[in-house]
Amino acid sequence: MWGRSTLSRTGSFRPENLGQNALAMIGNLCFTMFVLAVLVFTIIAATYEPDDPLFHPSSKITTFLTSDLNATFKSDSTVVKTGEDFMAVNQTVFESFINVTDVNLGVPLREDINADEVTPFECESQIGKPIDCTDPDVFHLMMTSAIEVFKDIHFYRFGKPVRGYNDSSCHMAWRFRPKDGKTAAFYKDYRSFTIHRSDNCTLSVVRIGDYHSGGNARKRKRNQRPGFEKPQASQEQQGVALPVVGEFVNDTLPTIETEGSFSSGKYLLYNGGGERCKSMDHFLWSFMCALGEAQYLNRTLVMDMSICLSSIYTSSGQDEEGKDFRYYFDFEHLKESASVLDQTQFWADWNKWHQKDGLALFLVEDVKITPMKLAEVQDTLVMRKFGSVEPDNYWYRVCEGEAESVIQRPWHMIWKSRRLMDIVSAIATKLNWDFDSVHVVRGEKARNLELWPNLAADTAPEALISTLQEKVDEGRNLYIATDEPDTSFFDPLKDKFSTHFLDEYKDLWDENSEWYSETMKLNSGAPVEFDGYMRASVDTEVFLRGKRQIETFNDLTRDCKDGVNTCSSAS
């Protein structure tokens, strides 16, 4: 028996059977591994509850939302980055700036003319007459004066002067950038110049008004060429349009004038979802997914212009509905860059024409249906309807998985509100674009000694003076961006620096301001609150325009941004 059994086994391993046996063993092993993999996957799928990737972000989301911001504002700011933050200044600004020698290449200035060459009769005939603001001599004098007075900005274009509010006043606009500007944007200012003619007919500028004091020079058609202008780089040369802060904003809602135009269009609409009343970065991450899908499908995005502002930004501590998209973002740039339509206007047109023209709606109720599967849909309206279960009803789920490599979020189409940025420009201009800035985080963090044991002491006035005097020259303008509600807390710093805070500039958004009147028009004549998100946005942007920027957690304290023992992970 033993002999026969042994011989039988030995026979199975004969050389001619080795290949067959090896294949059988490999097959069994592969099948076993497959069964184990299916079992493990089934267990994970049944028990795994996915995190919200926006609040526990992937490296890609984290890189976009936080890269290139200074370390303090990476985790502490509530202000989301938008398209203009990612423009490389050196790659997008092609115009050369204007200096005094450029101006003097033209007609000589009146003050350069020898008084002996002007006859007494000619001079007497001019005394008491209104200043001719269209005179090239006056134009050149105003340009030269502006360049010499405002030494911390580069001038790129001057508009033709116009008559001011009286006979000795001329108004002139210009486009500029701060010399140490870190953002790829142009700013527009328009000032009132008071011009004096002396007894020998010499002209001189005796006063230049405050920021935006020359209102008569603001209204100019976009295609009208000023009297003295460096050639503007074409959009093809620039590669991308640049924001111009200070221009009139035309963010009226687009309309479709005719039935034929509406009925021949293709539309995408997102309905419902969990984005309502979430943080602004959550809203924007989702909105950009919708805009990206609309572009991929070559459809007009039907968007809800009404935003629910999260309680983290409101003075009431409650979520607040009815905030206009245009309060926070540049809708003029968006509608010029993409095909978008207001939801209220869309439904009015749809109800008017859909039955008559047989317009069809394609309803999608599953975020797993990818944009690629909708590419061939010919119905007039594709409507994605989102459920009530979070986080599976977040819009940005549409752009995950297979779609992530296909749908590109068009960040260049979203800019910050130019009305808010005009307030930023006004504050920086009042500081002559020559100031340093510091961000002082206190609030709840300073009271939490377990996570931030040193923060309160390190941001006390005495500690701030000790730290800042090593980084900021004495007497400098110092803008303090802070969550400390009582700015008198920083009074001891006034002995060393000229301190400035956001609330010093309330006149820029009070009831007599341009911002106030323009946002009222958007809000059907009702006043608009300068809310917490607006405050944080302006405070952050002014801070980022300081020549020297000092951060709380990198420069002022030994504590970590996210609490004890998190410094390495937060870097």
Side-chain angles (χ1 to χ4, degrees):
M1 290 290 292
W2 271 111
R4 285 196 296 272
S5 176
T6 304
L7 288 172
S8 175
R9 287 181 185 144
T10 305
S12 67
F13 287 99
R14 290 174 181 174
E16 60 268 23
N17 294 331
L18 289 176
Q20 182 178 355
N21 292 335
L23 288 174
M25 291 176 64
I26 293 172
N28 291 336
L29 181 61
C30 290
F31 179 74
T32 302
M33 293 177 64
F34 172 75
V35 171
L36 288 173
V38 170
L39 181 62
V40 170
F41 178 81
T42 303
I43 293 173
I44 293 175
T47 60
Y48 177 62
E49 294 183 5
D51 287 341
D52 178 352
L54 190 68
F55 300 110
H56 303 275
S58 67
S59 59
K60 182 175 181 180
I61 298 176
T62 303
T63 299
F64 172 77
L65 291 177
T66 65
S67 64
D68 297 328
L69 273 179
N70 70 80
T72 296
F73 279 104
K74 278 184 183 177
S75 61
D76 295 300
S77 175
T78 56
V79 179
V80 68
K81 295 179 74 174
T82 52
E84 72 271 35
D85 294 315
F86 299 93
M87 296 179 186
V89 178
N90 294 333
Q91 295 176 5
T92 53
V93 179
F94 287 87
E95 297 181 276
S96 59
F97 66 88
I98 300 168
N99 56 41
V100 172
T101 58
D102 294 321
V103 177
N104 288 334
L105 290 175
V107 180
L109 301 181
R110 178 69 64 187
E111 62 185 1
D112 295 333
I113 297 177
N114 191 325
D116 295 337
E117 297 176 4
V118 181
T119 66
F121 176 77
E122 288 176 337
C123 190
E124 289 177 5
S125 65
Q126 297 298 316
I127 299 299
K129 282 191 174 182
I131 298 296
D132 181 7
C133 299
T134 63
D135 186 338
D137 292 356
V138 175
F139 187 15
H140 287 199
L141 174 64
M142 292 170 67
M143 285 191 287
T144 301
S145 299
I147 293 171
E148 291 177 345
V149 169
F150 304 111
K151 299 183 182 300
D152 282 281
I153 65 176
H154 284 315
F155 294 85
Y156 285 84
R157 296 171 62 186
F158 283 96
K160 185 182 295 184
V162 297
R163 190 180 189 279
Y165 299 133
N166 55 51
D167 290 346
S168 62
S169 171
C170 295
H171 289 181
M172 183 174 68
W174 57 77
R175 182 174 291 189
F176 71 94
R177 294 186 71 251
K179 286 184 177 179
D180 297 321
K182 302 176 181 66
T183 57
F186 286 115
Y187 300 86
K188 185 176 182 180
D189 198 354
Y190 33 93
R191 302 273 187 138
S192 174
F193 289 72
T194 302
I195 300 174
H196 174 71
R197 180 187 286 113
S198 67
D199 292 340
N200 64 0
C201 291
T202 300
L203 297 175
S204 60
V205 173
V206 295
R207 184 179 181 276
I208 300 178
D210 294 332
Y211 180 75
H212 282 195
S213 58
N216 290 350
R218 188 183 186 191
K219 296 181 179 180
R220 180 174 65 81
K221 294 181 180 179
R222 291 181 182 272
N223 60 354
Q224 179 180 343
R225 187 178 178 86
F228 180 94
E229 178 181 341
K230 286 288 185 76
Q232 184 180 13
S234 66
Q235 187 155 328
E236 289 75 17
Q237 289 175 298
Q238 292 181 351
V240 64
L242 291 177
V244 180
V245 178
E247 296 275 17
F248 271 118
V249 179
N250 177 19
D251 54 5
T252 55
L253 299 179
T255 58
I256 298 177
E257 300 295 338
T258 64
E259 174 185 349
S261 297
F262 180 86
S263 299
S264 62
K266 301 292 183 184
Y267 307 94
L268 173 68
L269 188 150
Y270 280 27
N271 179 260
E275 270 66 29
R276 211 71 187 165
C277 307
K278 292 294 192 300
S279 65
M280 199 65 83
D281 56 355
H282 185 145
F283 164 76
L284 199 58
W285 185 248
S286 289
F287 176 76
M288 294 307 293
C289 172
L291 190 59
E293 183 181 26
Q295 289 213 301
Y296 173 79
L297 298 175
N298 197 25
R299 289 176 174 269
T300 296
L301 179 65
V302 181
M303 56 181 291
D304 187 354
M305 297 294 294
S306 178
I307 291 177
C308 175
L309 190 66
S310 169
S311 60
I312 63 177
Y313 310 120
T314 63
S315 57
S316 65
Q318 303 292 321
D319 296 336
E320 295 181 2
E321 290 278 3
K323 303 291 185 175
D324 198 301
F325 179 92
R326 295 169 289 183
Y327 298 164
Y328 311 102
F329 303 105
D330 186 348
F331 185 69
E332 179 179 11
H333 175 64
L334 177 59
K335 70 180 181 178
E336 289 176 351
S337 306
S339 180
V340 293
L341 193 61
D342 171 44
Q343 183 174 286
T344 303
Q345 177 67 43
F346 172 81
W347 284 125
D349 291 339
W350 178 269
N351 292 333
K352 188 186 303 182
W353 292 318
H354 86 279
Q355 288 185 343
K356 177 182 176 182
D357 294 345
L359 305 182
L361 181 155
F362 188 89
L363 183 64
V364 182
E365 296 187 277
D366 188 351
V367 296
K368 295 179 182 178
I369 297 178
T370 66
M372 295 78 82
K373 293 179 180 178
L374 301 177
E376 302 302 321
V377 173
Q378 296 301 312
D379 297 87
T380 303
L381 172 62
V382 171
M383 182 167 74
R384 284 192 177 272
K385 188 174 182 180
F386 296 82
S388 58
V389 179
E390 299 184 24
D392 292 330
N393 65 346
Y394 291 160
W395 293 2
Y396 60 75
R397 295 291 192 195
V398 173
C399 297
E400 293 181 338
E402 184 183 352
E404 186 172 2
S405 61
V406 177
I407 303 302
Q408 302 298 316
R409 286 175 168 85
W411 294 107
H412 62 282
M413 294 181 177
I414 293 292
W415 293 347
K416 297 179 182 68
S417 162
R418 279 187 285 156
R419 293 187 178 92
L420 290 179
M421 295 305 295
D422 201 27
I423 294 176
V424 173
S425 178
I427 294 173
T429 300
K430 288 175 183 289
L431 295 172
N432 296 318
W433 294 90
D434 183 21
F435 63 97
D436 299 316
S437 54
V438 58
H439 184 212
V440 182
V441 176
R442 288 184 58 82
E444 293 295 329
K445 289 190 175 182
R447 290 188 287 273
N448 188 336
L449 298 182
E450 290 185 7
L451 289 180
W452 295 277
N454 304 296
L455 182 60
D458 290 342
T459 56
E462 297 77 14
L464 288 175
I465 292 173
S466 176
T467 304
L468 291 175
Q469 66 184 3
E470 298 177 1
K471 302 175 183 293
V472 179
D473 292 339
E474 187 169 344
R476 287 277 294 165
N477 281 321
L478 181 66
Y479 184 84
I480 302 177
T482 182
D483 57 358
E484 178 65 44
D486 182 10
T487 57
S488 65
F489 175 84
F490 300 98
D491 280 353
L493 276 67
K494 293 181 179 180
D495 292 337
K496 295 288 185 180
F497 314 104
S498 178
T499 58
H500 304 274
F501 302 89
L502 179 62
D503 280 340
E504 289 180 27
Y505 306 97
K506 285 183 177 179
D507 60 303
L508 296 173
W509 63 83
D510 68 13
E511 59 185 11
N512 297 314
S513 68
E514 201 170 84
W515 177 88
Y516 188 88
S517 61
E518 290 189 4
T519 52
M520 276 186 65
K521 293 175 184 176
L522 299 179
N523 199 33
S524 303
V528 175
E529 179 190 6
F530 194 72
D531 60 49
Y533 185 81
M534 298 172 186
R535 291 180 62 88
S537 184
V538 171
D539 216 20
T540 302
E541 293 298 326
V542 175
F543 170 89
L544 293 174
R545 280 152 183 77
K547 288 186 174 179
R548 179 77 184 270
Q549 298 161 15
I550 300 163
E551 308 161 359
T552 301
F553 296 104
N554 273 4
D555 301 311
L556 301 180
T557 182
R558 296 158 285 169
D559 287 346
C560 309
K561 293 193 303 293
D562 299 319
V564 172
N565 297 326
T566 63
C567 289
S568 58
S569 62
S571 60

